[in-house]
Amino acid sequence: MAFPEPKPRGPELPQKRLKTLDCGQGAVRAVRFNVDGNYCLTCGSDKTLKLWNPLRGTLLRTYSGHGYEVLDAAGSFDNSSLCSGGGDKAVVLWDVASGQVVRKFRGHAGKVNTVQFNEEATVILSGSIDSTIRCWDCRSRKPEPVQTLDEARDGISSVKVSDHEVLAGSVDGRVRRYDLRMGQLFSDYVGSPITCICFSRDGQCTLVSSLDSTLRLLDKDTGELLGEYTGHKNKEYKLDCCLSERDTHVVSCSEDGKVFFWDLVEGALALALPVGPGVVQSLTYHPTEPCLLTAMGGSIQCWREETYEAEGAPG
């Protein structure tokens, strides 16, 4: 008699709080894992950017050079450079090791909400409330951007980059996808101001969060609505959303102090994780493990799955 194969275990969600780090930089506007998930960046309302080892809880370096609060940051693929944008309308390129400002790009007419490197970290893309995305050449000494994308009718809240595409979310309620190889622009109308957009890990879908307290999963190529996710609260703040490390769950911040997880395929709420009494401003998901960082007030919280044992802990 053959026994049935054991059912594969479902993916574990990060719901065990490992650490809370007081960042000491005013309100944390954004938290971002680096490319391999070993480090994270925190953007402060006190004009600083900080680099951490979040699992150990150690501060590695503080970067000072912005004239106003830092709103977003990203690391390069080789971990040698950082870029950041903020309320001073500037985009800053940093050397990770020395902590020095390499270049400061000025040209936006309003605060910079979002920054991303391209895959080779040769270009920084920045999105601003001035309704433009600007592309800055990291190697050129020229002060002006190499390209400006100005199709949006309102502020740019979120930009993501793949090897040949730029995905942008705007307060005008549209998701725009620029195919750089084909030189084409695709636009999908969501109808509510967009706060965050991202690609699925497999690159087939886009996830869009907007101020009607709804996340939508769209087919990247056709714009077809594949799923809607509700239950969280997002009416006034620019909040992050993402997909879990294996594309099994949709994850979102919420204005009621929780992080919400939905099953991607079924759309059912899988977990409402209580973080604290304020707005969960930002979150970032580890690229390969069930590990989540959240930002609330002046601190960040590190979450792992229930079965996780910290290295060196009795097991």
Side-chain angles (χ1 to χ4, degrees), residues 233-244:
K233 184 173 178 225
N234 188 7
K235 296 285 188 191
E236 51 184 318
Y237 292 96
K238 174 179 152 21
L239 301 183
D240 290 334
C241 65
C242 67
L243 289 151
S244 62

Side-chain angles (χ1 to χ4, degrees), residues 10-30:
E12 290 197 89
L13 298 178
Q15 51 188 306
K16 177 162 92 173
R17 189 190 296 242
L18 282 194
K19 275 199 169 51
T20 297
L21 301 178
D22 183 5
C23 297
Q25 53 184 156
V28 177
R29 296 301 185 203

Side-chain angles (χ1 to χ4, degrees), residues 223-262:
E224 181 190 352
L225 181 66
L226 302 175
E228 287 196 0
Y229 310 89
T230 56
H232 66 303
K233 184 173 178 225
N234 188 7
K235 296 285 188 191
E236 51 184 318
Y237 292 96
K238 174 179 152 21
L239 301 183
D240 290 334
C241 65
C242 67
L243 289 151
S244 62
E245 86 282 9
R246 300 207 314 252
D247 274 352
T248 57
H249 288 79
V250 169
V251 191
S252 174
C253 294
S254 182
E255 291 166 12
D256 59 7
K258 300 188 186 86
V259 170
F260 284 72
F261 294 78
W262 295 266

